[in-house]
Amino acid sequence: MKFLCIPCDVKMEVQVDGIMPEEKQNLAMKFKCKKCGHSIAMLTNKFETEFVSKLGVEMGGPSDISKSPMAAVSSSLAQAKEELKSTDPEDDLIWTEEAEQRIKKVPFFVRGMAKKTVINFALEKGATTIDAKLMDEVREKVGM
Amino acid sequence: MKTYEDLEGDGGSNIIGQVVQLGEKLRFRLDKIKHKVALMSGKGGVGKSSITANIASCLADRGYKVGILDADLNGPSIGHLLGVGNDQKLETKDNGVEPGNGHQGIKIMSMDMLLKSADTPVMWTEENDATAVWVSTMESTAIRELLADTNWGVLDYLLIDMPPGSDRIDNIRSLIPELAGAVEITIPSMLSQHIVTKSITKNNKMGVPIIGLVENMATYICPHCEKEGKLFEGEDVQKLTERKEIPYIGKIPFDTRVSQSKSGNLFYAEFKDSITGKAIAGTVDNIENFIKK
């Protein structure tokens, strides 16, 4: 799927940093025209979101998450062993248990992007801990 | 206005590149495995997993390095048969998940190894409105990941224990185009033969080489006097192989010890000199001969 900016007649680019989906629910992905700067959002309902999440590819390009073994299985399998679930790459920030659970609920194929958005927001703000409140602020900021 | 083909790339996700990468990862694993064999049947309950495990045991006994992929995602039994319990810790590394180390050093990967407890079912979502489409898509992805993300290492044989039915073979064939072939398994009952016929026809249409048909539970061996008796009424299975023009590669009698070896070892490892053990060895001879051709 590609998006075309009709006035400029150029391809719109996915905005890797700027996504904060509702966990396992509807999803909005931002695309921007490099030429005129116009942004649009592609909206998917929970059924469409789930379907894409089972394919094993990531929107916005592969992140460290997809380099983990059995990434799609560990992300989608209910009641999987903890050893399999803990394959997300670490970062220097402290994630509270609630924040960690929330980010793990984000569909596999956009989790890398969502995580990046949260981390960048925390770094900009000078925060060292990511908690649920900060994640709510991120959602507020990106307007979804 | 530009069209789809006019626009290079896909807006930054590089989905095609990702799919290529997934294929390369799979190829990296498969290139270290000499022979890949699927064991299947249209019908459930004919002893596919048990036959798979004992064929693996026989191959291991002959000095081959063997692995089993349990492709029966919703009814995994290979871990149980090979002595790899659900309670064993899963070892994950950056380059893959370590396979379970079963009896005789047979490497296995099964959904059972990934689930929290032995009685946990395979569920891809706990939401009630999950659709069959998601499940089917996820199962295809899961098979690819079980194959590509398991550190199989160098193997002579990878046996693929297929689920009942013939639908999964499309998936396996697209992931493993060099599949040496499929071993079809039936019991003598007319019902089983009727359903297995469909699986054979499908493989023929798809160009999946059929190594041959195994007749499991062909007879019953008395554990006390070793006399053979009939277990099922049905048409001669050899006639089916003649009709479908495929080799008849094994007539394996039922032995009660197949499912309850006292030592926990696989039946073949313990009773290879029994009538059933010799029949398993004969089947393996035929599989090896087919592959050597």
Side-chain angles (χ1 to χ4, degrees):
Chain A
M1 194 180 293
K2 299 173 185 180
F3 293 92
L4 179 76
C5 176
I6 297 173
C8 304
D9 205 23
V10 297
K11 182 182 66 186
M12 300 184 90
E13 302 286 341
V14 65
Q15 287 187 272
V16 177
D17 189 358
I19 184 165
M20 191 59 214
E22 297 167 55
E23 294 89 355
K24 283 207 165 185
Q25 298 292 319
N26 304 336
L27 174 71
M29 286 200 59
K30 285 184 178 178
F31 288 79
K32 190 174 183 178
C33 172
K34 269 189 180 172
K35 199 171 172 188
C36 70
H38 183 66
S39 290
I40 59 157
M42 178 186 78
L43 308 176
T44 63
N45 63 33
K46 60 185 287 187
F47 298 98
E48 292 157 341
T49 307
E50 274 288 336
F51 182 76
V52 179
S53 75
K54 308 299 187 203
L55 297 175
V57 295
E58 286 185 279
M59 297 301 284
S63 73
D64 284 347
I65 290 171
S66 62
K67 289 176 190 159
S68 304
M70 299 194 190
V73 167
S74 66
S75 168
S76 301
L77 186 62
Q79 302 289 314
K81 275 185 182 169
E82 284 307 315
E83 303 95 279
L84 198 64
K85 290 270 180 195
S86 62
T87 49
D88 279 6
E90 298 295 321
D91 51 64
D92 292 334
L93 296 160
I94 298 163
W95 290 70
T96 65
E97 179 65 26
E98 190 184 355
E100 206 159 72
Q101 289 308 317
R102 280 179 64 172
I103 203 73
K104 279 184 177 174
K105 282 182 183 170
V106 173
F108 162 74
F109 73 105
V110 287
R111 196 188 308 153
M113 292 166 70
K115 200 168 180 180
K116 201 173 189 178
T117 305
V118 176
I119 289 170
N120 287 351
F121 181 82
L123 293 175
E124 265 176 36
K125 213 182 158 189
T128 53
T129 301
I130 295 171
D131 55 19
K133 188 169 167 281
L134 184 131
M135 290 176 79
D136 288 338
E137 286 175 40
V138 178
R139 181 170 294 139
E140 192 76 21
K141 186 201 165 195
V142 298
M144 294 181 195
Chain B
M1 193 173 85
K2 285 186 176 134
T3 64
Y4 187 93
E5 297 296 334
D6 297 328
L7 301 179
E8 279 184 25
D10 58 5
S13 296
N14 190 21
I15 299 293
I16 293 171
Q18 287 189 61
V19 171
V20 170
Q21 268 187 0
L22 291 172
E24 285 170 351
K25 198 174 172 187
L26 176 64
R27 186 44 44 202
F28 171 76
R29 296 276 184 222
L30 295 181
D31 281 351
K32 293 179 183 167
I33 303 168
K34 277 188 201 159
H35 310 298
K36 298 98 178 171
V37 175
L39 292 101
M40 61 188 295
S41 170
K43 183 83 178 68
V46 299
K48 277 183 305 298
S49 299
S50 176
I51 292 285
T52 304
N54 281 291
I55 284 176
S57 173
C58 180
L59 287 166
D61 190 57
R62 293 179 184 189
Y64 293 114
K65 288 180 182 165
V66 187
I68 303 177
L69 170 70
D70 192 347
D72 193 350
L73 302 178
N74 297 295
S77 52
I78 288 297
H80 183 79
L81 286 163
L82 273 286
V84 178
N86 167 271
D87 54 349
Q88 286 192 19
K89 192 171 165 54
L90 197 65
E91 203 181 332
T92 57
K93 295 180 179 171
D94 287 345
N95 64 342
V97 176
E98 290 301 302
N101 194 23
H103 296 313
Q104 297 171 262
I106 297 165
K107 294 180 178 180
I108 69 160
M109 180 47 69
S110 169
M111 286 305 293
D112 242 356
M113 294 169 58
L114 312 182
L115 294 165
K116 266 185 182 167
S117 64
D119 60 355
T120 304
V122 173
M123 292 175 73
W124 298 112
T125 172
E126 287 181 312
E127 291 180 28
N128 292 333
D129 51 3
T131 68
V133 177
W134 300 345
V135 173
S136 169
T137 309
M138 191 57 226
E139 285 183 350
S140 300
T141 302
I143 292 282
R144 178 180 49 72
E145 286 197 341
L146 293 179
L147 265 173
D149 289 344
T150 300
N151 287 330
W152 296 107
V154 175
L155 291 179
D156 295 305
Y157 282 91
L158 179 67
L159 306 183
I160 302 147
D161 182 29
M162 302 288 283
S166 54
D167 49 330
R168 186 61 62 203
I169 192 69
D170 309 60
N171 192 197
I172 290 292
R173 185 67 197 271
S174 68
L175 293 169
I176 316 173
E178 76 273 29
L179 188 73
V183 172
E184 295 276 0
I185 300 162
T186 187
I187 57 174
S189 81
M190 287 304 290
L191 179 63
S192 174
Q193 290 193 52
H194 167 68
I195 297 169
V196 171
T197 309
K198 294 178 190 292
S199 171
I200 295 167
T201 305
K202 179 170 178 180
N203 281 338
N204 278 334
K205 285 192 183 236
M206 286 178 64
V208 175
I210 297 176
I211 295 173
L213 180 66
V214 173
E215 181 183 7
N216 193 28
M217 304 184 209
T219 55
Y220 167 75
I221 304 287
C222 172
H224 308 293
C225 64
E226 293 218 319
K227 271 191 180 170
E228 254 182 302
K230 231 179 175 184
L231 199 58
F232 291 96
E233 289 298 329
E235 192 184 311
D236 187 351
V237 174
Q238 285 208 44
K239 282 186 185 164
L240 170 64
T241 60
E242 286 160 16
R243 203 166 63 242
K244 301 303 284 184
E245 296 178 339
I246 60 168
Y248 179 76
I249 60 168
K251 181 175 183 173
I252 301 180
F254 179 75
D255 188 313
T256 54
R257 297 169 297 187
V258 164
S259 58
Q260 50 184 323
S261 160
K262 280 178 190 163
S263 65
N265 283 335
L266 286 163
F267 171 84
Y268 181 81
E270 205 160 331
F271 303 107
K272 63 179 166 188
D273 292 327
S274 66
I275 296 172
T276 301
K278 284 176 184 166
I280 291 167
T283 303
V284 172
D285 289 341
N286 287 326
I287 293 172
E288 282 202 78
N289 289 338
F290 180 92
I291 284 172
K292 278 179 197 158
K293 273 182 198 169

